[in-house]
Amino acid sequence: MAYRPLADEIRPSALDDVVGQGHILGKDGLLRRIIEGGDVPNLIFYGPSGTGKTTVANIIAQRTRRPLHRLNATTAAISDIKEIMGQVGTLLAPEGVLLYLDEIQYFNKKQQQSLLEFMEDGRITLIASTTENPFFAVFGAVLSRATVFEFKQITPQEALPAVERGFSIMEQRLGAQAQCEPGVKEYIAQACGGDIRKAMNAVELLLSAAKRQQGKLLVTLSDAETVAQKSAMRYDREGDAHFDIASALMKSLRGSDPDAALHYLARLLEAGDMLTAIRRLLCSASEDVGMAYPMAVPIVKACVDNALQLGLPEARLPLAQAAVLLATAPKSNSVYLGIAAAQADIRRGRTGDIPRHLQNVHADSSGMERDQGYLYPHDFPGHWVQQQYLPDELAGTQYYHFGPNKTEQAARRYWEEIKKSKGPDQTKP
C-alpha cells in the first residue's frame, strides 16, 4: 500500500468532524447552512494554514458532486485554468467544475482576471484560499463575485482531540500501544500553533521514531519538544502575522502593559526579526511617550545601539530593557497630534507667505534693502519676546497642546509665567 501521510489520513469527510471553526461551521453557522443548502457560491477562505480550508473544500466537492480540481497559485498558470475549463460541458464535467485555488494571493492581476468570465456564468465555482488578508491580496473584481469566510486559528483545546485521534491511528499502523509521559499530547496540541497539519506531522514523526519496550512505544516529553520545536510560531516577514505581531508590540507599549510588550518582543526575536522590534521601539519613544519623558528617546536609542553591537541572542536584554522602559513610562501623544495637525493644514494648502522678519537675511543684500524687523529673543528678559512666527493666514493657530503629564505641565507653567511677566512694551530689551 502506498504511503499516506497521517495529516491526509485524518482529514475529516463530514462537517461535524472539522476541528474548530464553530463560528462558521457550527449548528447555526452561515457556511454550514450554505453547504447543506447545496447551492454553493464562489468562496474565499481566509486564515492560517492547517485550519481546515482544504478539508472544507473537499467536503463541498463531495456534496455538490462536481469534479474538484486543485491548483496552487505558486506554480499554476493561465494555461492550467484553460485546460480545466476545456472539460466543462463534456462528459467529464457536464455541470461545471469546482476549482480549489490555494494561495490565490500569488496570482497576479491578469491571472486573477482570467477567472472572472467563468465565475460569472457559473461554469466554474471558485473556492480560493489565502493566508493573507483577501481585501489586500485579492483584486476587487474577484472579491465582488465571491463571499469571504475567515478561518480562525485553532485553540489547543480544539486541537487536543485531533492529536489523540492521530495517536490512535498511528498505534494501529505500528501495531503497538503508545506509552506517553504526562503532558505529551497536551504539549503537541499547544506547540502546533493552531495548525493541525503540523500537529499530525509531529505525531507521525514522534511515534515512528519511538523506542519500543515490551511491545509498547515509549513517547517522552523531551522527544515531543524536539519534534514540535517552534511550531507555535506563526510568522512570515511578508505576511499578516508579521504586521499583527509588530502592531501588537506597539499597542502594548502604548497601553503600558510591560508583560504583553515583552511577549510580542520575544515573538519577534524568536523569529529572528530584530529590526522590526527596533523600529517599533524607536517609534514608540516619540509617538507614545514623547514629551512626558523626553529622555526615553536617547535611552531607547542607546539600548538599540547596544543590541545592534551585541547581536542575538544577547541583544534581547537591551531591547527588553527598552520595552519595559517604554511600557512603564508616562505617556503623551502631544507631539504626534501636533505634527499631524500641522501636516493636515499643509496638505489642505494652508501655508501662506513666511513673515518678512523670519526670512533669510540674504534678501536684505540683494538690492531690495528694507528693514527686516526681526526681534532676537535672547536680547530680552526670559529669552522671549512677543512676535508673529506663523504666516498671516495661520496666525493664532495652535498645533501643540501641553499634555496632562508632569513634564509638560511644568513647561506650560514656566512659559505662562515668562509671558505674563512681560510689560506692555515687549519690543525693548
Side-chain angles (χ1 to χ4, degrees), residues 39-43 66 85 88 97 112-126 140-146:
D39 188 14
V40 179
N42 297 304
L43 301 170
R66 301 176 78 177
M85 295 317 304
V88 176
V97 299
Q112 290 191 26
Q113 287 179 330
S114 69
L115 300 167
L116 298 178
E117 176 187 350
F118 307 115
M119 292 172 64
E120 287 179 338
D121 60 20
R123 287 180 289 169
I124 178 176
T125 298
L126 175 69
V142 175
L143 271 179
S144 67
R145 292 164 175 80

Side-chain angles (χ1 to χ4, degrees), residues 46-65:
Y46 159 52
S49 59
T51 52
K53 300 187 295 295
T54 302
T55 295
V56 174
N58 286 332
I59 294 173
I60 292 174
Q62 294 169 9
R63 286 181 170 271
T64 59
R65 300 184 183 278

Side-chain angles (χ1 to χ4, degrees), residues 304-356:
V304 165
D305 289 344
N306 284 349
L308 291 173
Q309 290 181 328
L310 289 169
L312 289 171
E314 291 83 358
R316 72 189 191 281
L317 299 175
L319 293 181
Q321 181 180 355
V324 171
L325 171 74
L326 293 172
T328 56
K331 301 296 187 295
S332 173
N333 68 339
S334 58
V335 169
Y336 170 81
L337 294 176
I339 189 61
Q343 286 183 303
D345 269 353
I346 301 302
R347 289 164 184 160
R348 286 195 296 264
R350 293 192 67 201
T351 53
D353 294 331
I354 296 174
R356 169 66 192 141

